[in-house]
Amino acid sequence: MTDALTRPPVVTRITDLIGRTPLFELARADNGARLLLKLEMFNPTGSAKIRMARQMIDDAEQRGDLRDGGHIIESTSGNTGLGLAVVAAERGYRFTAVVDNHAAADKLRGMKAMGTELVHVDTDGDELHTAAREELAEDMARGKDNTFFTEQHNNPGNAVGYYDVGREIAQALDNQVDVLIGAVGTGGGLCGTARELKKTVPGLTVIGVEPKGSIAFGPPAHDYYQSGTGTPEGATIGLLVDYDLIDEGTKAGDIEAFATARAVARHCGLLIGGSAGGVVHEALARLPHLAPDSVMVAFINDGGEKYMDTVFNDDWMSARALLDPAVEAEVEETLTKLRRD
Ligand SMILES: Cc1ncc(COP(=O)(O)O)c(C=O)c1O
């Protein structure tokens, strides 16, 4: 085992490469308030979710729910599945991912490459089908010996897996952080990080961001294209969305989220995913209104590489009326104005 905050020069397992992700300063307001991005794409699989995937499997092994030669089953939009695929490959488990057509093709390809069995829910179109996926995953695991449905929406390990993110931020900034902002899907990432960080930064303000159309912060419900995040209509808001920890819940539209991801890429050469685009959009709107010299940390769930066929593809964007050069130009202008160096 490696310590959570330090890494030996040579590691022997891919999961030893999880964590210790960098902070990047994206913007600074005139009053010195800074926006720092916690770049979780530097984890194996290019996403934060491998942190909770490992935690859920460690917990299951400890409880005896999963033993040698066991079978893991999960409903996933992709990043959790990629994390579980790594853990399964490393520890010799069989892994079945229940997916829908909303998942980014590269996430599915990645899981397959690591030996995952993919089961598609029987639905049309590229909308999200979270509820159908979860039902099928639960059915597949029911009554089977040494078979574990990780059930990320209701698994406490999902939040615990992010405690290290809180510790890493606290250590890197010597607890000098005022605001934490991040996407809310299962709620594990933001709430797990916030719970740990609040231990040493009790005055921390926590802002949750979900796609417009998602229901964790209220109606109206409608379809959205931001991948891996939010709670679509029909799905249950997971136990890990801890409203007591979240000071403000806000929503980002697909157009703004994707325009921001595209503008950030051009502005500084950083590829972030679509949900992270929504988070950065909301963070940039709030930055100039923070107290002087404040520090806002944005939890960046994944990188943009998996979205070359979607967010970064003009044809895909145009076909769904998501391409809006004026919004992109506006974000670029904001970034140029805020960036000091
Ligand atoms: C790209 C992306 N953004 C945001 C989220 C939401 O994170 P959480 O489920 O921890 O709330 C996920 C979760 O799968 C994701 O894959």
Side-chain angles (χ1 to χ4, degrees), residues 296-341:
M296 178 186 243
V297 173
F299 185 113
I300 301 300
N301 206 297
D302 69 359
E305 289 82 352
K306 294 164 188 154
Y307 308 101
M308 289 302 138
D309 296 335
T310 54
V311 176
F312 296 99
N313 179 318
D314 290 1
D315 294 338
W316 184 91
M317 290 279 289
S318 298
R320 288 158 185 78
L322 295 168
L323 196 62
D324 193 329
V327 179
E328 279 182 44
E330 210 175 288
V331 179
E332 276 199 84
E333 202 185 306
T334 303
L335 284 166
T336 306
K337 215 165 67 193
L338 288 170
R339 182 121 184 150
R340 317 304 316 281
D341 49 25

Side-chain angles (χ1 to χ4, degrees), residues 2-200:
T2 53
D3 178 79
L5 301 179
T6 54
R7 177 180 294 148
V10 177
V11 299
T12 53
R13 298 178 305 185
I14 291 301
T15 53
D16 291 334
L17 298 172
I18 295 173
R20 311 153 196 95
T21 54
L23 285 165
F24 169 72
E25 182 178 310
L26 178 70
R28 188 187 283 249
D30 283 342
N31 69 358
R34 294 186 295 154
L35 172 59
L36 309 183
L37 308 186
K38 178 71 170 158
L39 296 179
E40 286 291 298
M41 69 277 262
F42 282 85
N43 286 298
T45 72
S47 153
K49 302 285 291 195
I50 192 169
R51 293 182 186 257
M52 57 74 100
R54 176 176 61 178
Q55 186 70 45
M56 293 194 301
I57 300 308
D58 283 348
D59 293 349
E61 288 171 346
Q62 248 164 39
R63 285 193 306 266
D65 288 339
L66 201 54
R67 302 177 301 284
D68 280 357
H71 185 184
I72 302 165
I73 299 179
E74 179 58 84
S75 150
T76 173
S77 62
N79 279 330
T80 301
L82 283 167
L84 287 170
V86 172
V87 180
E90 196 170 82
R91 302 185 190 183
Y93 295 122
R94 178 179 167 199
F95 172 44
T96 302
V98 182
V99 298
D100 55 35
N101 295 331
H102 183 86
D106 278 344
K107 294 179 187 170
L108 303 183
R109 290 184 199 118
M111 281 189 267
K112 252 187 124 173
M114 288 186 273
T116 303
E117 297 159 40
L118 299 180
V119 173
H120 284 260
V121 284
D122 191 13
T123 48
D124 298 328
D126 58 3
E127 295 92 32
L128 255 179
H129 290 285
T130 311
R133 274 191 343 231
E134 278 167 16
E135 247 170 67
L136 181 59
E138 195 171 356
D139 276 357
M140 286 173 66
R142 190 172 296 122
K144 299 218 179 82
D145 182 47
N146 204 10
T147 299
F148 184 62
F149 172 32
T150 34
E151 211 188 340
Q152 57 173 320
H153 281 82
N154 295 316
N155 188 326
N158 177 352
V160 174
Y162 294 100
Y163 286 1
D164 278 348
V165 183
R167 290 181 198 126
E168 290 169 26
I169 294 170
Q171 190 189 61
L173 299 174
D174 203 14
N175 293 315
Q176 299 306 300
V177 49
D178 303 282
V179 182
L180 175 71
I181 184 167
V184 174
T186 65
L190 182 69
C191 295
T193 303
R195 191 169 306 143
E196 184 63 23
L197 193 50
K198 278 200 168 185
K199 286 186 187 161
T200 51

